[in-house]
Amino acid sequence: MTADASYDHIIIGGGAMGSATAWQLARAGRSVLLIERFAQLHAHGASHGASRNFNIAYTEPDYLDLVAEAGYLWRALEAETDTRVLDLVGLVNHGAGEPEHHDELLHQHGFSATTLTPHEAQERWPGIRFDTRVTYTPDGGRLNPDRAIPALQAAAVRHDAEFRYDTAVRAIEVAADGQTVRVSTDDATYSAPSLVVTAGAWAHPLLDGLVALPPLRVTQEQPAHFALTAAGAADGAAALVGVDEATQALWPGFNHLAAAGDHRTDWWYSDVYGMLTPGEGVKAGWHGTGPVVDPDHRSYQPEPRQLAALQRYVREWLPGADPDRLVPVSCTYTTTPDEDFVVDRRGPIVVGAGFSGHGFKFTPAVGRMLADHALNADARPMPRFALSRFGL
């Protein structure tokens, strides 16, 4: 084993949250080592692909404030790296579960929003079918993880952070005085006064015996990209994908929200989210309904009934997409019992976990919070994200 090396901070997990934390800590002048089990960009977790909704249409003030901060930090990352990661193509919320006066709540938190009738919305976005009032905000849009994560990593490296890819962590040991953490790989042992763990579906096995975590349910989700139909392309002609600006204007991000307890269990599994992914088609998916999996033994194949139900959804609600021309996507959700995140510290170990399928939009703000905990052992967590809410 090679000689030990010491850093101010070690991070385990080089997906979105770990890379954002490395950026924040490195730009604060700290020495940082990030260790990632897989390659720099991989498809084994939750941080891959070319599109995520930048969904600002929350109703909880904590999340609205956090997504506003995230938007500012995404723009700061773009300026620092000259990389475009956020496209404000707008966002529409519709369905029986869309709360009244949602636009007024968004206004209170500094976002633009308006309410449209189904007819008004249909005229503007013919690729989506509406049967309820629609909340539209131009401040929502689409993020590109395949650009964003390398940009976060490049920004961190510019501030002298070090990354080790294809490197598995074999052991984590906290010194008897609780002041130092030692992390061992096959080739070396590293030490630091603080360790940040952002390992997604692998958080529990890594932290077993070190930090008590709530139950984290790991599921394999299966959204899909659907080809455009004539109703979904600006020129009126069917196309596999439309990437021109006129076609993109026809496709805001969207959330179709059922009333509480009103999911049609014979085929309607959950609320539906989606957006246009330039070059790939219209992405649509159920939220958090995939089968529970071991992240090390996944099939990467869609669950047939849920995929068939998703095709039925597209057939009935997305006239701009072809339900029979699709490419399934496989990713994981790691979900807490209440679907809120874990962002907290125990001793010298900081944990970011359980982002429950809706964390990516918040990435740079979560990185800021994790960095705050790593820099200050006395930093208080947001109550919504504290481990103490689970009695841990």
Side-chain angles (χ1 to χ4, degrees):
M1 181 174 291
T2 61
D4 292 349
S6 297
Y7 296 84
D8 293 325
H9 308 281
I10 298 172
I11 301 169
I12 299 176
M17 304 308 179
S19 299
T21 306
W23 177 44
Q24 293 289 334
L25 289 171
R27 73 199 299 228
R30 311 292 286 182
S31 62
V32 178
L33 172 67
L34 185 147
I35 303 172
E36 166 56 46
R37 173 183 176 182
F38 300 108
Q40 181 179 14
L41 289 176
H42 63 85
H44 302 300
S47 295
H48 60 92
S51 61
R52 294 289 190 281
N53 259 350
F54 185 61
N55 173 20
I56 66 169
Y58 283 80
T59 57
E60 303 92 339
D62 288 343
Y63 281 123
L64 286 167
D65 291 341
L66 198 65
V67 77
E69 178 188 358
Y72 170 80
L73 290 172
W74 282 124
R75 292 308 191 201
L77 176 70
E78 289 180 325
E80 184 170 332
T81 62
D82 193 27
T83 302
R84 184 175 179 179
V85 301
L86 173 60
D87 290 309
L88 294 183
V89 295
L91 177 79
V92 294
N93 268 28
H94 68 108
E98 172 61 5
E100 292 187 24
H101 310 300
H102 198 176
D103 56 336
E104 297 175 11
L105 178 62
L106 292 170
H107 292 158
Q108 293 170 15
H109 288 265
F111 297 112
S112 298
T114 188
T115 298
L116 305 174
T117 67
H119 177 74
E120 290 171 331
Q122 197 77 63
E123 286 288 309
R124 184 164 181 178
W125 302 293
I128 306 171
R129 185 165 74 84
F130 303 95
D131 66 351
T132 66
R133 73 184 185 284
V134 177
T135 302
Y136 167 64
T137 171
D139 296 328
R142 177 182 63 233
L143 287 156
N144 187 326
D146 285 347
R147 292 180 186 168
I149 294 171
L152 287 165
Q153 294 166 347
V157 168
R158 286 195 185 99
H159 294 285
D160 298 321
E162 298 179 28
F163 286 72
R164 303 278 189 275
Y165 301 109
D166 295 306
T167 302
V169 169
R170 301 305 183 189
I172 302 170
E173 179 184 3
V174 179
D177 62 4
Q179 301 299 308
T180 304
V181 182
R182 290 168 61 89
V183 176
S184 297
T185 69
D186 288 333
D187 302 317
T189 297
Y190 308 99
S191 64
S194 81
L195 170 68
V196 181
V197 177
T198 52
W202 294 272
H204 255 304
L206 275 171
L207 292 172
D208 185 36
L210 296 170
V211 177
L213 296 176
L216 297 175
R217 183 169 56 94
V218 180
T219 56
Q220 179 174 281
E221 303 298 318
Q222 45 265 314
H225 284 110
F226 294 87
L228 297 182
T229 65
D235 61 5
L240 176 63
V241 289
V243 296
D244 57 281
E245 290 185 6
T247 295
Q248 292 199 49
L250 296 177
W251 288 100
F254 57 89
N255 296 306
H256 191 169
L257 310 174
D262 192 34
H263 294 129
R264 287 170 273 178
T265 54
D266 59 333
W267 72 274
W268 189 296
Y269 284 85
S270 70
D271 296 336
V272 178
Y273 70 91
M275 76 292 290
L276 176 69
T277 306
E280 298 186 61
V282 176
K283 184 178 181 181
W286 306 113
H287 176 71
T289 61
V292 174
V293 296
D294 178 340
D296 289 317
H297 300 91
R298 288 170 55 194
S299 69
Y300 296 86
Q301 298 300 312
E303 196 283 312
R305 289 173 296 180
Q306 290 197 27
L307 183 61
L310 187 61
Q311 289 179 277
R312 176 173 174 176
Y313 176 84
V314 171
R315 186 171 290 110
E316 295 189 14
W317 290 95
L318 298 180
D322 186 337
D324 299 315
R325 300 171 64 204
L326 71 154
V327 177
V329 179
S330 179
C331 63
T332 58
Y333 279 16
T334 304
T335 303
T336 64
D338 58 10
E339 297 191 19
D340 290 327
F341 314 150
V342 171
V343 181
D344 205 347
R345 177 169 177 156
R346 288 290 182 270
I349 299 177
V350 180
V351 182
F355 292 100
S356 305
H358 67 112
F360 192 90
K361 66 186 73 66
F362 300 105
T363 291
V366 169
R368 189 273 304 163
M369 289 193 295
L370 291 168
D372 286 350
H373 284 294
L375 291 165
N376 180 7
D378 297 322
R380 292 187 176 185
M382 288 179 61
R384 179 179 291 275
F385 302 146
L387 282 165
S388 59
R389 76 186 193 271
F390 301 107
L392 301 175

